[in-house]
Amino acid sequence: MRESWRWYGPLDKISLGEVAQTGASGIVTALHEVPYGEVWSREAIAARKAEITAAGFDWVVVESLPIHERIKRNEGDLSALFANYRQSMANLAAEGLHTICYNFMPLLDWTRTDLAAPVARGGTCLRFSAPKMAALELFMVGRGEAREDYIPEVIAEAESWFRASSENDRADLMRAVMAGLPGAYDRYDADGLKAALKLYEGIDRAALRRHLRRFLEEVVPVAEELGMRFCIHPDDPPRDILGLPRIVSNAEDIAWLLDAVDSRANGLTLCAGSLGANPGNDVPAIARRFADRIHFAHLRNVRKDTDGSFEEAAHLTGDTDMVDLVAELLAEEARRGQAGMADWEIPFRPDHGHDLLDDAGRKTHPGYPLIGRMRGLAELRGVIAGLSHAGNR
């Protein structure tokens, strides 16, 4: 497996020189400064790649080439947006970049309510609190229908939190929910979020699936021609948020997606944390079922609460059996190697590490500290080495 590291380019507080000391050899990045829907020029791609190469790395995965919200809503004449997207794909392929991770989550990317929840023995982590999310939906955004989405105990706790909260508390909650949009230009306050949600009125699960299918039909044939691999990132969290449908949350969703346009170019980013936040998901079993379509992996872990809350755990101590999961990915790599496939290696990156030691002072992108992710990478490296050694005995 190819050890990789997510890097936000000029927006990142962590330098490539520091990344080199983690031991990772691959970089996962994007042109985050380009507004959604605009073409990524070949010149800009080449410049970013040259910077990465000069630091001793390979740019192994594009994460992500964002999908404009109008495409997700299937709104108006989309021909120019699709043409721009396909041109960006062609420009990436021309520079030797062939794996694109993307997501189809409406409006919001990964969603958390706390960016610095305390961790036992020190450090902080990202957390999704069901009561806080319910407070935002019910009392800050005014979605009365959200009462159907939460159990009574969560609603009662949400109301208690809201009544006791200050304006600063509510602003912090809104900032946390918005923090999962590292490359987006839109950030919302409560009123802005209400207005943005109105644009999605009438778009239910079936409609969003139709819109995703159209996107795949527009881009996957081009990906095949260019020798590219698309790999969708599962929903995070794997549940509807703010009334917005999430349609890549479990094995049934993944099967639908891969069958919608049946091509190896239409694949999956196996995110252990996103899928692991759904109590019904057996993540190693999902990896085994869809192994031949996994083009990239996010290896992280979560610890779940019974009320629907969850938080980022250390990579080897959450609810997902990480050793079992890595074994499945190594088995798939071995199968590809035996079949003589040139792209046998699966790139992975440690994801959403804890803020440890002096991480807190760096003000990196939430969930992307230096020391916390380096710890995760070291732990995963040990698992891979152990399994590989055992398999070769």
Side-chain angles (χ1 to χ4, degrees):
M1 295 176 69
R2 182 70 180 273
E3 293 184 8
S4 305
W5 189 273
R6 190 170 194 182
W7 181 62
Y8 288 100
L11 303 176
D12 209 315
K13 302 290 187 183
I14 300 170
S15 70
L16 287 174
E18 290 172 312
V19 176
Q21 297 179 54
T22 72
S25 62
I27 291 295
V28 176
T29 193
L31 302 185
H32 294 292
E33 63 275 17
V34 179
Y36 288 15
E38 293 188 8
V39 173
W40 288 14
S41 72
R42 184 169 177 181
E43 293 74 16
I45 295 165
R48 185 61 49 81
K49 181 181 177 182
E51 181 181 7
I52 292 167
T53 302
F57 297 96
D58 296 319
W59 186 355
V60 293
V61 177
V62 177
E63 185 180 354
S64 61
L65 181 58
I67 300 169
H68 198 281
E69 292 298 314
R70 282 183 51 215
I71 292 176
K72 296 177 187 178
R73 297 194 297 266
N74 200 36
E75 177 187 287
D77 181 0
L78 300 176
S79 56
L81 284 175
F82 282 126
N84 286 355
Y85 202 95
R86 289 190 291 263
Q87 185 60 56
S88 295
M89 291 169 58
N91 292 343
L92 286 164
E95 292 299 325
L97 297 162
H98 294 98
T99 302
I100 296 176
C101 171
Y102 72 101
N103 77 74
F104 212 78
M105 290 179 264
L107 197 60
L108 299 177
D109 202 310
W110 60 262
T111 305
R112 300 292 186 272
T113 60
D114 298 271
L115 303 181
V119 174
R121 303 186 69 182
T124 63
C125 69
L126 302 178
R127 178 171 174 79
F128 178 88
S129 162
K132 282 190 177 182
M133 194 69 208
L136 185 145
E137 295 204 49
L138 289 167
F139 307 116
M140 293 171 60
V141 179
R143 286 193 64 250
E145 59 269 38
R147 289 185 178 275
E148 302 298 319
D149 299 333
Y150 297 95
I151 60 176
E153 293 81 359
V154 166
I155 294 173
E157 190 173 342
E159 186 167 8
S160 296
W161 181 88
F162 182 75
R163 291 184 184 280
S165 65
S166 65
E167 287 297 323
N168 284 341
D169 292 333
R170 297 169 196 174
D172 285 345
L173 174 56
M174 184 62 69
R175 280 193 292 270
V177 170
M178 293 295 112
L181 299 168
Y185 283 76
D186 292 330
R187 294 290 190 272
Y188 308 105
D189 57 15
D191 289 338
L193 185 55
K194 290 178 192 177
L197 289 171
K198 285 186 178 297
L199 298 174
Y200 277 90
E201 286 183 352
I203 298 178
D204 60 9
R205 177 180 175 83
L208 194 61
R209 273 189 167 187
R210 290 195 299 272
H211 304 170
L212 175 53
R213 184 193 293 271
R214 180 184 177 188
F215 169 75
L216 293 172
E217 290 171 347
E218 292 277 356
V219 302
V220 170
V222 178
E224 292 174 335
E225 294 172 8
L226 295 170
M228 303 188 85
R229 295 170 292 276
F230 265 73
C231 40
I232 197 165
H233 188 288
D235 301 327
D236 187 7
R239 49 157 293 168
D240 292 358
I241 292 288
L242 291 161
L244 300 169
R246 297 290 182 99
I247 57 172
V248 190
S249 294
N250 54 39
E252 187 271 332
D253 290 341
I254 295 168
W256 175 88
L257 167 89
L258 299 182
D259 289 343
V261 176
D262 190 7
S263 166
R264 190 165 184 266
N266 175 28
L268 173 67
T269 295
L270 194 287
C271 180
S274 299
L275 292 169
N278 183 337
N281 285 340
D282 181 334
V283 183
I286 289 174
R288 183 164 54 251
R289 177 176 174 182
F290 302 111
D292 63 333
R293 301 284 277 275
I294 295 172
H295 301 318
F296 182 34
H298 290 181
L299 298 184
R300 63 182 176 89
N301 224 324
V302 298
R303 182 187 63 77
K304 298 183 288 292
D305 297 331
T306 56
D307 68 354
S309 303
F310 64 89
E311 66 184 26
E312 308 290 346
H315 284 70
L316 303 186
T317 61
D319 294 340
T320 294
D321 185 336
M322 191 62 70
V323 177
D324 193 11
L325 174 58
V326 171
E328 295 292 348
L329 297 175
L330 288 173
E332 173 59 16
E333 279 194 335
R335 185 197 67 79
R336 295 178 189 183
Q338 291 166 4
M341 298 174 67
D343 59 343
W344 61 272
E345 196 170 35
I346 299 172
F348 78 95
R349 64 176 179 83
D351 198 11
H352 288 195
H354 291 172
D355 277 28
L356 303 174
L357 302 173
D358 66 352
D359 279 333
R362 282 180 168 266
K363 301 187 184 303
T364 58
H365 288 76
Y368 293 93
L370 175 60
I371 297 170
R373 280 188 291 165
M374 185 167 65
R375 172 188 170 181
L377 179 59
E379 292 176 343
L380 294 167
R381 181 181 296 138
V383 169
I384 293 167
L387 289 171
S388 299
H389 179 73
N392 291 326
R393 292 184 66 178

